[in-house]
Amino acid sequence: MRNGKEEASVDVASPALPSVAAGGPGRPRRAVVVRWAVHAAWVAGLAFVTELRVGRFGFHPTDQGFILAQAWRVLQGEVPHADIISARPLGSAILHVADFALPGPLFFSSSVFAMVEIIFATIAFAALVMRRPVRTWGAGRTALVAATALINLNGFPLMAWHTVDGITLTACGAWALDAGLRSGRALPRLGGLVLLGSAVFMKQSFVPAALIGLAWTLSYPDRRRRLVPDVLALGAFGIGYLAWVTAGGGFGEMVAQLTGGIPVYGERLLGLWLDDPGALMLPPVRELTFFAAIAVVLVLVRLTGDRLGVAGRAASWLLALGGAAAVVWTMVDGRFTGSSRWADVLWWILAMAVVVHATVCKRLPWAGLLVLATGFMTSLSWGNDTPTLLTGSLALTALLLVAGILPERALVRRRFARPWVTATAGLTIVALCGWMVVAHHDEAAYHDLSHDKLTADLGTVSPAMAGIRTNPATFAYVAQIRDCLNRYPAGRVAVLPDNPFAYPAFGLRNPFPLEWPLPAEIVGDAPERMLATADRLNREGDYLVIFETVSNETLADGGPVPASVPPDTPNVDYTGLENAIRAKLTGRPVVCGSFVGKWSS
C-alpha cells in the first residue's frame, strides 16, 4: 500500500465474495453477528481440539512453565528487573497474568490460549496478504488458514512463550493498523500501534515491529496531524513499563540486564547454504534451488505479457504449480524438525516470491515483506534460531504472492472454484496438516516420549496441571517435589535449576530473583544477587531450597529417577552458582527422592 491506496488483491481460488462494509447493503445485522460467531467458534474449537489431542501430551519441567513462573511473580506484586532478573523485557510475564484468570486448570488453559494466539497471528497475516476481510472468507479460505495455523505450530510445544507473543502482537497490530489507516478510523489505527509497540517488550528481537509501524503510519497522508497521538500510542506500553520499573527502583538493573545478554544476528538463517554450498542439492534445501529455477523462468514468461498467447498462460500456471509443489515438499522433507532447516528454506522461498511478485507487478508486496521481516525477527533466538513458529504463514504467503501474478485468475475461479470444491479442498488440507502435526507429536512430544508412553496425568500431583500427561519418570520427579513440600513446609521455596514450572504449579514464593538460572540467563549482577539471597535466607530462616540430581535430558529419555539418593549426591549445576548456593546455605540437609537440599523452619 502506498499513500493510502490499496494494492491489487492477491487471491486464492474461491468465489467472489461481498464487501465487508457493515454486513453489506440491506443485510441484517444478525447475519454479521452470525459470521463473527462462526469465526470465533472455529478459532476456539481448533485451539481446544489441538490442546486436547496434541498440546497436553508431553511435559518437560524446564521451559514449559518459564513464562508462567514469571507471570506468577508479577501477580504477587514483584517488579520486573528490580525483583525479577531477566535477559528480556518481561512483557510476556505481564501478558500471561491473564492465564491465571482463565477457566480450567492453569497449564491446560494456558496452552489453549497459546494456540489461540497462533491462530490469531495466522489469521492476521493471511488477511493482510489476501486483502480480503475475514468476514468475507468462505469455508475454503477459512480452512486454508486453519491448516496454516497447524503448520505454524508444527512440532512446537503449546505453552506460554515470548516469541509466540511477539509474533501475535506484530501480526494483529499490523492488521489493526492497516484497517485503521485505510478506513480513516482512529481506534483501530491507534490500537494497532499499541500492539506493535508492545511486541518490543515481549522480546528485543521484535524492535523492528515498532519501526515498521512508525514508518507505515508516516507513509499515509495527514501524518503531521496524527504524529503525536500515533507516537504516543506506539510507545504506550513502553512508557508504562519504564515508569513501573523506574518507580520500583529497577531502571539501572533493567539496562544492565537487557544489554548484557548474548547478541544474536540471524546469521544461521541468512547463511543457510554458505557453510556448505552442497546443501543446495540436499533435502530440504534442494527445494529452494528448484523454486529459484522456477521463479526465474516464471518471471521471464510473465514479463513477455500476451506475446506468448495461450502457451504463455499455460506455462505460467504450470510453473506456479511447480513452485507450489516445492513449498509443499519442503514441509514433507523437513519432517517438522529444526535440524532439517526446513523453516529457513521456507523463509528464503518467500524472499524469492517477494522478488518475483515485485518484478512482475512493479510494486513491492508490503504484506509479504511484513511476514518475511517477522520471520527474521522470530529467528533471533538463543535456542531456536530459525523461523519455525512462522512456517505455515511463510508457505501460504509465498503461494499467494506467486498466485497473484498469474493470468486469468478470475476465469479460473469461475470455472473451477465452486463453493463445495473449495470447502472440500480446504477441509482435506486441514485434515492432512492435522494428521502431520499429530503424527509428529505422537512420535516424540517436546522433550518427552512417544504418545503411547505418556501414561501419567500430572493432575494427581497438582490441580493446576490436570489433564497434562507425561512419562512415568517425569511424573515421579514432579511428585517428589510435591512430597518434599509437604514434608518440609516453608514460606519461601526454590527448586533449582531447571524447574520454573513448580512455582505456579504449587503456588510457591521463590526467594531468588531467577526462575531458571541457565548460563544465558545470568545477566547483570545475577550471581551476586543470587548469593546475597542465600545469605538473607540464612539470616531469616523459613526456607526450603532443593536441587535436582536428575538432568532434564534424563527426564526427556524417560528416566531413571531414583526413589532416594544419598545426601551428598552431586546436583545439576550449569555455572557453579547452584553449588555455591548449596554450600552457602546453613539449613538442615534434606533428601526428597532424587532431590537434595537445605531446609530451615
Side-chain angles (χ1 to χ4, degrees):
M1 184 175 304
R2 196 174 297 165
N3 296 326
K5 295 181 180 179
E6 185 174 336
E7 285 186 1
S9 174
V10 177
D11 281 337
V12 291
S14 75
L17 293 167
S19 169
V20 72
R27 177 176 294 178
R29 183 175 296 275
R30 184 171 63 179
V32 178
V33 174
V34 169
R35 278 187 175 273
W36 279 121
V38 169
H39 283 291
W42 81 255
V43 170
L46 180 61
F48 185 79
V49 169
T50 305
E51 168 63 13
L52 201 63
R53 182 56 184 87
V54 172
R56 72 188 186 96
F57 289 96
F59 177 76
H60 203 251
T62 54
D63 36 5
Q64 286 185 270
F66 180 43
I67 300 299
L68 287 178
Q70 293 179 328
W72 174 247
R73 297 181 74 139
V74 170
L75 195 59
Q76 304 306 310
E78 297 190 28
V79 178
H81 309 292
D83 301 316
I84 313 167
I85 293 175
S86 176
R88 291 164 292 275
L90 283 156
S92 285
I94 297 168
L95 173 64
H96 287 283
V97 165
D99 293 20
F100 291 83
L102 296 174
L106 173 62
F107 280 74
F108 186 96
S109 299
S110 179
S111 294
V112 173
F113 181 63
M115 190 62 199
V116 169
E117 286 188 271
I118 291 172
I119 297 171
F120 270 29
T122 308
I123 291 172
F125 280 136
L128 286 168
V129 177
M130 290 180 185
R131 310 307 296 150
R132 302 275 275 192
V134 174
R135 283 185 296 177
T136 69
W137 290 0
R141 290 177 188 271
T142 302
L144 183 62
V145 173
T148 302
L150 291 171
I151 298 298
N152 278 338
L153 171 63
N154 56 83
F156 197 77
L158 267 180
M159 62 182 181
W161 199 243
H162 36 64
T163 305
V164 174
D165 299 334
I167 292 171
T168 304
L169 291 174
T170 298
C172 294
W175 187 22
L177 176 60
D178 176 58
L181 288 172
R182 287 191 295 116
S183 66
R185 290 180 294 158
L187 185 59
R189 185 189 83 241
L190 296 175
L193 289 168
V194 169
L195 294 180
L196 288 168
S198 301
V200 177
F201 289 84
M202 306 299 119
K203 193 179 178 187
Q204 297 96 314
S205 61
F206 289 94
V207 166
L211 300 178
I212 289 170
L214 181 62
W216 196 342
T217 189
L218 291 180
S219 69
Y220 270 70
D222 298 327
R223 52 183 172 269
R224 290 186 179 178
R225 180 174 56 83
R226 293 184 288 99
L227 182 61
V228 172
D230 284 3
V231 171
L232 287 175
L234 192 65
F237 188 94
I239 292 169
Y241 186 85
L242 293 176
W244 180 23
V245 172
T246 302
F251 182 82
E253 287 81 357
M254 178 190 68
V255 173
Q257 291 165 24
L258 298 186
T259 60
I262 302 169
V264 290
Y265 305 104
E267 60 271 19
R268 188 168 182 265
L269 171 64
L270 297 178
L272 174 61
W273 65 84
L274 296 182
D275 292 337
D276 181 17
L280 288 169
M281 302 307 296
L282 299 174
V285 186
R286 65 185 177 188
E287 277 73 63
L288 174 59
T289 305
F290 182 60
F291 188 91
I294 286 177
V296 171
V297 180
L298 180 58
V299 167
L300 293 176
V301 170
R302 295 303 303 131
L303 289 179
T304 60
D306 295 328
R307 282 173 287 177
L308 296 179
V310 174
R313 293 191 290 273
S316 296
W317 280 90
L318 288 174
L319 288 166
L321 290 173
V327 171
V328 172
W329 204 250
T330 298
M331 292 184 280
V332 174
D333 265 354
R335 305 182 307 280
F336 285 5
T337 59
S339 59
S340 70
R341 310 288 300 278
W342 69 297
D344 298 0
V345 174
L346 288 173
W347 189 87
W348 278 102
I349 284 176
L350 174 56
M352 292 182 182
V354 167
V355 173
V356 168
H357 191 95
T359 302
V360 175
C361 296
K362 303 298 192 295
R363 61 176 176 270
L364 282 174
W366 61 267
L369 283 172
L370 174 67
V371 177
L372 191 69
T374 307
F376 179 73
M377 292 182 257
T378 303
S379 75
L380 299 177
S381 170
W382 289 329
N384 192 28
D385 54 347
T386 176
T388 306
L389 278 165
L390 214 61
T391 45
S393 294
L394 294 172
L396 178 62
T397 303
L399 294 176
L400 291 173
L401 291 181
V402 172
I405 68 169
L406 292 177
E408 298 184 352
R409 298 195 306 277
L411 176 62
V412 171
R413 286 198 299 272
R414 286 196 301 271
R415 288 186 176 180
F416 300 106
R418 310 297 184 190
W420 69 269
V421 173
T422 56
T424 302
L427 292 174
T428 301
I429 293 172
V430 170
L432 287 173
C433 292
W435 172 78
M436 291 169 62
V437 171
V438 168
H440 179 82
H441 280 264
D442 282 0
E443 182 180 348
Y446 177 74
H447 285 186
D448 212 329
L449 302 182
S450 58
H451 185 273
D452 59 308
K453 297 176 182 176
L454 305 177
T455 57
D457 191 327
L458 288 169
T460 61
V461 179
S462 167
M465 306 180 77
I468 308 300
R469 299 179 71 88
T470 187
N471 68 76
T474 301
F475 178 87
Y477 176 94
V478 176
Q480 288 174 355
I481 297 175
R482 176 204 58 192
D483 295 342
C484 197
L485 299 175
N486 293 336
R487 193 182 316 166
Y488 303 108
R492 291 166 294 183
V493 180
V495 189
L496 299 173
D498 289 319
N499 305 280
F501 83 95
Y503 307 107
F506 297 109
L508 307 177
R509 294 300 300 269
N510 180 12
F512 292 96
L514 270 172
E515 274 68 40
W516 193 16
L518 292 179
E521 304 291 335
I522 305 295
V523 292
D525 58 352
E528 294 81 6
R529 288 177 62 178
M530 294 286 281
L531 293 174
T533 299
D535 289 329
R536 180 166 55 85
L537 291 176
N538 286 332
R539 293 192 302 269
E540 298 174 0
D542 189 24
Y543 68 82
L544 172 67
V545 181
I546 58 176
F547 303 85
E548 67 195 68
T549 64
V550 176
S551 69
N552 61 71
E553 292 85 2
T554 299
L555 294 178
D557 292 335
V561 176
S564 183
V565 295
D568 59 351
T569 302
N571 56 269
V572 173
D573 189 340
Y574 294 117
T575 64
L577 187 58
E578 287 79 8
N579 282 333
I581 292 172
R582 183 178 175 185
K584 185 177 282 286
L585 292 171
T586 59
R588 169 187 162 189
V590 297
V591 173
C592 301
S594 63
F595 290 84
V596 297
K598 299 288 183 70
W599 175 59
S600 176
S601 59

